[in-house]
Amino acid sequence: MTVVAPSGELDLDAAPALRRSITGAVLRGTDVLLDLSAVSLFDCACLGAVLAANRTAVAVGRTVTLMAPQPLVRRCLDLTGAATVLPVIDHRPGEGVGDRQPVAVGSRERTVPPAQVALVVADIDR
């Protein structure tokens, strides 16, 4: 499984990188867990990018699961109906709601420089 963990405000500028990260992982043959716990803004361009990447995932027999969306992000998912298309886990495993803490996602992490979109991608064992 690949964890994609963006942070901050995800808007039109971040959408292409988000889509590439998710699509790249599913084309490499892994399912994707999109950790939204550190995302404060998630606009329609990013939602479209995630839905497009999900179509690719479905076509190759993989899944995209959203995890720990902040309340405003969750509201966006609910209002648009995206939460009926994509599986959503409301909090990280082992955490209570509102009790968010950092979680280790694997031994091979990399960050993209802030000039681009700040994404953390790590491969973890299933």
Side-chain angles (χ1 to χ4, degrees):
M1 177 172 281
T2 300
V3 175
V4 179
S7 63
E9 297 183 351
L10 298 186
D11 57 14
L12 181 63
D13 292 334
L18 183 62
R19 183 176 180 177
R20 280 191 307 273
S21 294
I22 298 168
T23 302
V26 298
L27 292 177
R28 286 190 306 274
T30 66
D31 293 328
V32 172
L33 183 62
L34 181 59
D35 183 349
L36 298 171
S37 63
V39 173
S40 58
L41 173 74
F42 190 75
D43 78 0
C44 59
C46 285
L47 179 58
V50 171
L51 291 171
N54 184 62
R55 284 191 297 275
T56 301
V58 169
V60 297
R62 294 294 167 193
T63 61
V64 175
T65 301
L66 309 183
M67 180 177 70
Q70 295 294 320
L72 288 175
V73 175
R74 178 61 194 213
R75 182 177 163 116
C76 172
L77 297 172
D78 291 339
L79 289 174
T80 61
T84 63
V85 175
L86 297 161
V88 180
I89 302 168
D90 281 318
H91 53 85
R92 290 177 174 164
E95 287 184 356
V97 177
D99 183 24
R100 303 193 193 286
Q101 299 173 3
V103 63
V105 292
S107 59
R108 294 182 298 172
E109 294 185 355
R110 70 175 177 82
T111 56
V112 177
Q116 301 171 29
V117 73
L119 294 176
V120 178
V121 180
D123 293 324
I124 60 175
D125 293 328
R126 197 162 212 211

